[in-house]
Amino acid sequence: MIGVTGAADTNGVDELDELNGVEHVNGMDGMDGMDGVDEAEGLNGLSSTAGYAEAAEELAVQYESVTFAEVHADLLHSYPPPPAAVLDVGAGTGRDAAALAALGHPVVAVEPTAELRSVAERLHAGSGVRWVADALPELPHLSAGAERFDLVLLTAVWMHLAPAERALAMAALGRLLAPGGRLALTLRHGPVPPGRRMFDVPPEETVALAAAQGLRLLHRAERGDLHGRSGVRWTSLVFG
């Protein structure tokens, strides 16, 4: 994961968002589009996970080249202390999920791409992270259960959601938050690489969607790209 991402990508590939349904325990462990491109045109028939399966091994090198502490440096003060129930949506190769588990949090990691899940389970064997396949915008598998989370992370994920999906996704995330829980996400800004489905989502839109679910903005930060990609920057938001 980007995810967000504020995390890494390879050749502009960031961590994932939408997910499909299976679960197993890792026995170890404004709404304008992309840099002026019309959002509908930017879809180009691509799925939100286009390009990730075939690049899983290469992406793992990229994602794991930066640490959880580096990616989340401006957010850590907003995260609850362990043991807090954590949901990492679009967990990619498990870097953040494993780091949070090592801090003493019980972690559920949602990742859509089987190839990335396989890499994650190999790299972070023994972490105790529980891996779940599910799908934004509505996360039906998790939403059907009774689990609620003290911290929900979407790192380099939100930019994959089309305009019509984002309100549905925010509603689903709001339902999965425990009372007093925190939602932390990152937004990617800058050039969109060919063959990827990404949107440059305005922070103000995301704040408004969260407010509609009764979530208040607690923290906002801006930073450059940890991999030095030209024109790419990130906005970090925490809600509660």
Side-chain angles (χ1 to χ4, degrees), residues 92-127:
T93 58
R95 178 201 61 218
D96 294 352
L100 286 160
L103 292 173
H105 298 285
V107 180
V108 174
V110 172
E111 171 53 49
T113 302
E115 290 81 357
L116 285 175
R117 288 198 306 273
S118 178
V119 170
E121 292 174 342
R122 184 183 78 238
L123 292 178
H124 302 290
S127 68

Side-chain angles (χ1 to χ4, degrees), residues 153-168:
L153 297 179
L154 291 91
T155 306
V157 169
W158 201 251
M159 76 275 194
H160 291 296
L161 294 175
E165 297 174 312
R166 295 196 284 259
L168 292 172

Side-chain angles (χ1 to χ4, degrees), residues 102-197:
L103 292 173
H105 298 285
V107 180
V108 174
V110 172
E111 171 53 49
T113 302
E115 290 81 357
L116 285 175
R117 288 198 306 273
S118 178
V119 170
E121 292 174 342
R122 184 183 78 238
L123 292 178
H124 302 290
S127 68
V129 171
R130 177 159 58 97
W131 287 89
V132 178
D134 206 353
L136 285 170
E138 296 181 281
L139 294 169
H141 182 76
L142 286 174
S143 296
E147 278 187 285
R148 296 297 178 264
F149 299 92
D150 303 305
L151 176 63
V152 176
L153 297 179
L154 291 91
T155 306
V157 169
W158 201 251
M159 76 275 194
H160 291 296
L161 294 175
E165 297 174 312
R166 295 196 284 259
L168 292 172
M170 189 64 76
L173 296 169
R175 290 191 295 270
L176 289 168
L177 275 179
R182 301 288 174 87
L183 169 64
L185 58 82
T186 58
L187 306 176
R188 186 188 192 276
H189 312 291
V192 176
R196 309 298 170 191
R197 192 182 97 161

Side-chain angles (χ1 to χ4, degrees), residues 2 12 33 49 53 56 63 114-115 120 128 140 172 187 189 192 201 211 213:
I2 195 98
T49 60
Y63 295 167
E115 290 81 357
L187 306 176
H189 312 291
V192 176
V201 183
Q213 301 303 319

